[in-house]
Amino acid sequence: MIHFVLLISRQGKVRLAKWYTQYTVKERTKTIKQVTGAVLSRGPKLCNFLEFGETKLIYKRYASLYFCVGVDQEDNELATLETVHHFVEILDRYFGNVCELDLIFNFHKAYYILDEVLLGGHLQETSKRAIHHVVTEQDALVENAKNG
Amino acid sequence: MLIAGSDWRSEGAAGTAGGGGQPQALGRVLLTTEVSKNVNKNNAMHAVLFEAITLVMHLDSEQELVSQCVNLLGKFISVREPNIRYLGLENMSRLSVLPEMVPVIQAHQALPGQALSALPEMLPVIQAHQEKILASLQDTDISIRRRGLDLVFSMCDENNAKDLTSELLKYLETADFSIREELTLKMAILAERFAVDLKWYVDVILELVDKAGEFVSDEIWFRIVQVITNSEELHAYSASKVYTFLLEGSTQEPMIKVAAYLLGEFGRGIPIPPQQQFALLHESFATMGLSTRNIMLSAYAKMLMNCTPDDPEFRAKVHAVFKRYETNTDADTQQRVLEYLGLTSRPEAAMRGVLAEMPKFPERASILERAVKEKEAETTDASVQRVRSMNAEASQEVSPASATVPEIIVPVLPVAPIETPPPPTSPPQDLISGSPVAAAEPPVIEPIAPVQPSGSANVMDLLDGLIEPSAQAPAPAPAPTSAAAPSPDPFAGSAGMEDLLGGSGVASSAAAPAQVQPIADVQEWFHKLCMADNGVLYEDPNLQIGLKSSYQGFQGRVVLYLGNKAPATLSSLRLHVAPIPGLKVSINEHPGATLAPKQQIMVVIDVACSAPFMEPPQLHFGYSTDTQQAQQQLRLPIVLNKFLQPLPVTDRNEFFERWRAIPGPPLKLQEIVQVSAALTAAGLPAVQALLNALRLNVVPQLDPNPRNMVTAATLCCEASMDGIVIVRMESDANNSAQYRVTVSTSNQVASSTLKDIILTHLKA
């Protein structure tokens, strides 16, 4: 299962953090620091998988953001990369040519979408169309509520 | 496909239901996956491919598929894409630990699995793989380097061991610090496991110590010393090799430790004079840490002894070194220096006896292998037991560093050198059958008192000496004192005899099946458990019995954990506790007759003290495996002092009234005792701690004299609650080893028993 998902910018700022197992606040900050240190220092040609204590760390760099995912030892790494890419494509479709700024200003929507894709550390929905549909419906609800 | 694959793997289905369809589907996947331009499609395809490979390896039913996998993996290792390379290496190392592969790996070189076809044209391919794998060690990517290292380690066998170890040694110089320690440990294990030629082993391992420097853990160099000591032909060779290393200027601590030890023990075998050896070693003396310096001091003393034409100049130099550290703050250093000074100033004979060569080590499971296993994650319960046993073993492993103790045994005993230390129960038997001195012992030993007065010192020393090798570190004082000093373990000695007298003939009953012996001293375990509530009661190569106890008033509960360490099943397991007057013992549920490998069962024993009792109950247990059997009689550490409850003293006057109320024997007993050397050195606080550990509650400042201690407790028995127990310890201002113990209770048996228990622990 997936233990955590972290989106980290090139400067080391955390744009999104989702934890699927119980980590205390101290452990979280420690993990973030370690992941940031390990991932940001890697060159471009190196492989995307790292040993990280009990978990495997799989990361992929999209423009200025690093998508880091911590998984169990027995999980398939390439499949996780596929999952990350799946998530990125959904974001892209929703925001239309997504960039880091979109995620900074609409982080709440990014979290909604992530919760639709991953549940309890496992991939929940593989259809991009279905997720897009659900999220747009939710947006419509929000609009209606605002307008009264 | 992906999820199905992982499901199949997790359920361990060995190709049952979908048997026919699976291999075909897998075959198709393996054959038709190809590299496509689109990176993401690539990832997806390869994800499925790797999952298929893992599944094939797990199922391991279709040989053809397996060989296909292996070919694919071989291709992947040299692909440019680092992800694929990484996964290729990882899966290949997984392949090599398949159980069916292991004999195949042993039989053939390098790449596992290739031997399935064993076609001669495969051989160059195999060689190529080995080179590629070694090349991956130089990769820029740390992850790939790690994977490559794992694979190298797992694919080593007798044929390629030499090449691989030399490659690894070269790699060690450039390796990052994070993997260096693991690397050195694994290399040490590899070198030992596949050492065809012992001389080669010595070369490699010394080179390893030289290169790895600070990363050589203690366990590694203990193992080196063990191996070298056990093989006589290596002595001279290793001494000269180590001397060469010193000449070339290697000055890291582990190297110096090994060098000092080896030169001290075997330096006389090489043509270089001891004065030169000493000079060379001494150059690095000042920069070494504490434990290294202590080892070097021992080595100097041995060298001085080996210098047979007596060289006064050499002696003066060595003595100068000793004198400089006479007042060193570290107690161990000071002790060593003073004793070596004394020893080397005396005539030859005394020196020779004490500093004789170390006997061979008994065959033990390699602690290195255990250390590697420890690094991998384990379940907590099993590991707790294992760590305990590891500590028990590790403390014994400390012997080369700290002990000159075993060396004492040699002159004292007529039986020497000891190849495999016999267990505590059999030496008394040997002595009894062999020497008439020992035969006189039995009538002297009273069944109650576990403590022997120093009258039977001679046989005690003999027994102690025999027991010593199997209980090295637990003996607290490393001091090679003269024979007149309090013998470290009179308790153990007499108790060993007692077992023989009291119980069924233990060692003699083992006829055809080999008798299994405990790996360390049963007496020491008992001793420790009298003071603590949890610990190991007994351990031998097959079985470990751990003990956890808790006492409340007059009742107590003791839980025995029997764990099967061996790969075989233990059958005809029997456990019986003999009842004794005054203590009710009941086992609620008897365990079954068999114990499967790696299984642990719990036996709960409820005890209730109805009246003060003298002797601890005996546990008779036995089991048998296919080739061995064991039968032991152990004392359970359910002693009278466990039923003591601390008594808070509020009114001093009332307390002293009670004290004076009891005039003298048989209720109030007094004795003067010489405590053990360790307690003498540590002083009053240590004695206080000991008394508290025995559940006698030391009440501070009750006695006006600060050099005395008073404890107050109640002895809880079922019949008569609240028997007050008062113990007073008076220390002697002139002689810090001497104490006067006064025990006062309301029951005669309790007084004598408690007094004996206290005296035993004080002297130990």
Side-chain angles (χ1 to χ4, degrees):
Chain A
M1 69 171 274
I2 296 179
H3 288 283
F4 57 84
V5 175
L6 294 174
L7 263 63
I8 309 179
S9 78
R10 277 263 343 141
Q11 285 77 36
K13 287 183 139 295
V14 177
R15 296 295 172 208
L16 191 148
K18 184 85 185 175
W19 308 85
Y20 293 101
T21 43
Q22 183 65 310
Y23 283 81
T24 65
V25 177
K26 256 203 221 166
E27 282 170 6
R28 289 186 192 186
T29 34
K30 191 165 145 217
T31 311
I32 291 176
K33 266 200 214 126
Q34 285 174 338
V35 169
T36 316
V39 164
L40 291 181
S41 53
R42 281 174 78 75
K45 295 289 183 196
L46 301 184
C47 81
N48 299 81
F49 319 124
L50 282 172
E51 309 272 310
F52 197 65
E54 287 274 310
T55 57
K56 282 200 260 210
L57 188 67
I58 293 154
Y59 74 95
K60 188 107 167 75
R61 181 175 170 196
Y62 288 91
S64 61
L65 266 184
Y66 286 89
F67 283 69
C68 311
V69 178
V71 294
D72 277 335
Q73 290 286 348
E74 57 259 8
D75 287 352
N76 190 318
E77 295 91 338
L78 292 174
T80 318
L81 275 178
E82 273 302 293
T83 311
V84 169
H85 190 70
H86 176 61
F87 178 53
V88 170
E89 279 186 346
I90 295 176
L91 286 176
D92 190 47
R93 180 160 171 186
Y94 177 73
F95 286 108
N97 271 338
V98 67
C99 61
E100 191 184 341
L101 232 45
D102 285 325
L103 293 183
I104 295 173
F105 286 118
N106 297 306
F107 62 92
H108 55 296
K109 295 202 184 140
Y111 276 105
Y112 291 155
I113 296 177
L114 183 61
D115 287 338
E116 289 292 331
V117 177
L118 295 177
L119 182 69
H122 295 276
L123 182 62
Q124 192 196 172
E125 180 59 69
T126 50
S127 159
K128 299 196 230 298
R129 206 165 56 82
I131 295 188
H132 186 78
H133 176 69
V134 168
V135 181
T136 36
E137 280 221 348
Q138 189 173 26
D139 278 347
L141 264 177
V142 171
E143 284 299 319
N144 289 343
K146 257 200 256 179
N147 296 337
Chain B
M1 170 76 190
L2 210 59
I3 299 173
S6 39
D7 275 342
W8 273 333
R9 250 190 310 142
S10 56
E11 285 167 35
T16 47
Q22 266 185 34
Q24 288 167 6
L26 290 172
R28 215 164 356 109
V29 168
L30 290 180
L31 281 175
T32 59
T33 308
E34 53 193 26
V35 179
S36 70
K37 282 293 170 183
N38 184 348
V39 176
N40 298 314
K41 193 159 173 223
N42 213 7
N43 270 348
M45 301 280 280
H46 279 94
V48 175
L49 177 58
F50 277 109
E51 198 66 32
I53 292 179
T54 321
L55 182 58
V56 166
M57 292 197 302
H58 178 84
L59 290 179
D60 201 35
S61 49
E62 302 284 314
Q63 300 295 45
E64 195 198 297
L65 283 182
V66 176
S67 54
Q68 267 183 331
C69 284
V70 163
N71 291 335
L72 276 175
L73 287 177
K75 263 190 278 168
F76 285 150
I77 298 184
S78 31
V79 155
R80 272 221 320 231
E81 166 86 36
N83 288 345
I84 310 289
R85 266 214 312 269
Y86 177 92
L87 289 173
L89 285 172
E90 183 179 359
N91 282 308
M92 204 176 264
S93 52
R94 231 186 267 171
L95 195 58
S96 63
V97 297
L98 281 180
E100 291 84 58
M101 293 299 181
V102 171
V104 165
I105 298 167
Q106 301 293 349
H108 294 267
Q109 266 226 16
L111 188 64
Q114 288 293 353
L116 289 173
S117 40
L119 298 168
E121 55 260 32
M122 284 296 199
L123 280 176
V125 180
I126 298 170
Q127 298 289 49
H129 282 298
Q130 184 168 327
E131 279 172 31
K132 265 187 270 172
I133 295 170
L134 290 174
S136 72
L137 284 179
Q138 313 294 335
D139 200 292
T140 42
D141 191 347
I142 173 86
S143 300
I144 293 188
R145 282 208 294 271
R146 269 221 188 94
R147 286 275 147 256
L149 187 60
D150 272 345
L151 183 55
V152 166
F153 181 63
S154 52
M155 75 178 201
C156 191
D157 74 342
E158 279 103 25
N159 298 328
N160 56 13
K162 287 203 179 147
D163 301 326
L164 287 184
T165 40
S166 47
E167 273 297 322
L168 284 176
L169 273 174
K170 261 190 276 172
Y171 175 59
L172 183 61
E173 289 168 26
T174 52
D176 333 274
F177 292 103
S178 50
I179 39 176
R180 249 189 222 199
E181 184 168 347
E182 205 181 316
L183 180 56
T184 36
L185 188 61
K186 286 194 172 162
M187 278 183 65
I189 296 179
L190 263 186
E192 195 190 323
R193 210 190 282 172
F194 297 115
V196 171
D197 174 21
L198 283 176
K199 287 213 172 99
W200 171 81
Y201 170 73
V202 169
D203 287 337
V204 164
I205 202 82
L206 286 178
E207 186 118 13
L208 177 65
V209 172
D210 183 33
K211 290 219 164 75
E214 298 296 321
F215 294 94
V216 174
S217 61
D218 279 342
E219 290 142 342
I220 296 182
W221 86 265
F222 291 164
R223 189 73 192 156
I224 299 174
V225 163
Q226 244 186 346
V227 171
I228 295 181
T229 313
N230 278 4
S231 27
E232 293 228 14
E233 62 268 18
L234 286 183
H235 291 179
Y237 180 72
S238 45
S240 57
K241 202 76 207 261
V242 117
Y243 185 76
T244 325
F245 270 109
L246 280 183
L247 270 180
E248 285 162 16
S250 58
T251 48
Q252 291 119 334
E253 287 221 29
M255 191 61 189
I256 299 287
K257 276 191 207 172
V258 174
Y261 187 84
L262 288 176
L263 285 177
E265 282 284 306
F266 313 122
R268 70 182 102 92
I270 55 178
I272 300 165
Q275 290 89 334
Q276 247 181 296
Q277 295 175 19
F278 165 74
L280 193 55
L281 258 186
H282 198 59
E283 278 169 18
S284 354
F285 189 79
T287 52
M288 287 296 124
L290 201 56
S291 53
T292 321
R293 281 218 297 256
N294 289 341
I295 300 171
M296 291 170 88
L297 288 171
S298 307
Y300 294 163
K302 290 181 202 167
M303 274 186 217
L304 189 56
M305 178 193 90
N306 290 331
C307 182
T308 31
D310 201 33
D311 184 358
E313 198 184 297
F314 184 37
R315 184 183 289 264
K317 272 199 221 151
V318 176
H319 279 200
V321 175
F322 287 161
K323 285 206 168 59
R324 266 227 325 266
Y325 290 90
E326 255 177 349
T327 48
N328 190 282
T329 45
D330 177 47
D332 193 8
T333 315
Q334 208 182 73
Q335 201 165 21
R336 280 183 200 235
V337 149
L338 289 172
E339 277 150 8
Y340 291 144
L341 256 180
L343 272 175
T344 51
S345 318
R346 285 217 194 130
E348 281 267 318
M351 249 213 308
R352 201 158 288 286
V354 171
L355 297 174
E357 204 173 294
M358 286 276 276
K360 289 200 182 162
F361 289 92
E363 270 311 302
R364 278 193 217 120
S366 168
I367 37 167
L368 293 183
E369 312 239 341
R370 232 181 307 131
V372 167
K373 288 203 194 91
E374 286 278 305
K375 289 194 197 292
E376 294 144 24
E378 290 160 21
T379 66
T380 45
D381 206 328
S383 71
V384 166
Q385 300 278 21
R386 217 170 303 162
V387 166
R388 267 196 226 129
S389 61
M390 238 200 87
N391 286 339
E393 292 255 19
S395 58
Q396 292 173 357
E397 298 293 340
V398 177
S399 49
S402 64
T404 39
V405 184
E407 299 173 320
I408 301 176
I409 312 158
V410 184
V412 180
L413 279 182
V415 185
I418 300 154
E419 296 286 307
T420 49
T425 46
S426 53
Q429 202 183 35
D430 286 345
L431 282 181
I432 283 180
S433 51
S435 97
V437 177
E441 250 325 89
V444 177
I445 297 179
E446 304 130 289
I448 34 160
V451 176
Q452 282 291 349
S454 50
S456 48
N458 241 355
V459 184
M460 282 304 119
D461 285 347
L462 287 173
L463 287 174
D464 295 339
L466 278 173
I467 290 164
E468 273 297 284
S470 54
Q472 286 154 351
T481 52
S482 55
S487 39
D489 221 348
F491 192 47
S494 62
M497 297 281 285
E498 212 173 44
D499 276 349
L500 184 69
L501 294 173
S504 47
V506 177
S508 56
S509 65
Q515 175 76 331
V516 180
Q517 304 300 352
I519 57 177
D521 190 9
V522 179
Q523 315 309 330
E524 281 301 325
W525 281 320
F526 177 81
H527 204 68
K528 278 199 189 125
L529 283 173
C530 284
M531 290 194 274
D533 278 341
N534 304 334
V536 171
L537 178 67
Y538 170 83
E539 185 164 352
D540 65 23
N542 295 328
L543 180 75
Q544 188 197 53
I545 304 185
L547 185 137
K548 273 197 175 96
S549 55
S550 68
Y551 293 89
Q552 193 68 24
F554 68 88
Q555 284 169 322
R557 169 164 292 194
V558 173
V559 187
L560 295 176
Y561 294 88
L562 287 91
N564 185 347
K565 284 169 29 181
T569 309
L570 304 178
S571 51
S572 27
L573 184 69
R574 45 198 182 276
L575 214 70
H576 172 65
V577 181
I580 50 174
L583 182 72
K584 277 186 252 185
V585 177
S586 63
I587 303 182
N588 296 341
E589 285 172 33
H590 277 269
T594 55
L595 185 59
K598 309 294 173 206
Q599 204 197 22
Q600 198 186 50
I601 53 170
M602 238 170 56
V603 181
V604 179
I605 304 178
D606 284 320
V607 295
C609 173
S610 54
F613 58 95
M614 298 183 290
E615 271 298 291
Q618 305 258 6
L619 171 76
H620 302 252
F621 84 94
Y623 65 87
S624 51
T625 66
D626 293 327
T627 49
Q628 305 164 316
Q629 75 166 38
Q631 200 171 328
Q632 288 282 0
Q633 205 170 300
L634 307 169
R635 278 175 305 156
L636 285 176
I638 305 175
V639 281
L640 194 60
N641 64 301
K642 297 270 186 186
F643 294 101
L644 290 171
Q645 292 273 49
L647 180 70
V649 175
T650 46
D651 188 357
R652 296 185 64 199
N653 295 329
E654 195 205 302
F655 179 81
F656 280 111
E657 278 292 320
R658 259 192 232 263
W659 177 255
R660 282 183 270 271
I662 306 177
L667 293 179
K668 187 185 227 173
L669 299 171
Q670 248 187 20
E671 190 159 324
I672 297 196
V673 62
Q674 304 275 350
V675 302
S676 69
L679 282 178
T680 315
L684 275 175
V687 178
Q688 188 169 344
L690 177 68
L691 292 178
N692 279 334
L694 288 172
R695 290 179 195 249
L696 298 160
N697 171 37
V698 175
V699 184
Q701 282 134 23
L702 191 56
D703 195 316
N705 184 344
R707 295 197 64 86
N708 295 353
M709 268 181 283
V710 181
T711 80
T714 53
L715 177 63
C716 306
C717 301
E718 197 173 337
S720 63
M721 301 284 279
D722 309 332
I724 306 271
V725 171
I726 304 177
V727 176
R728 182 170 176 207
M729 287 274 293
E730 294 162 279
S731 63
D732 190 341
N734 302 328
N735 181 357
S736 59
Q738 202 162 305
Y739 285 80
R740 184 163 72 170
V741 180
T742 316
V743 177
S744 151
T745 72
S746 43
N747 178 302
Q748 180 181 340
V749 174
S751 293
S752 65
T753 315
L754 285 173
K755 177 186 71 106
D756 291 331
I757 292 175
I758 296 170
L759 288 178
T760 311
H761 281 92
L762 283 177
K763 286 202 204 151

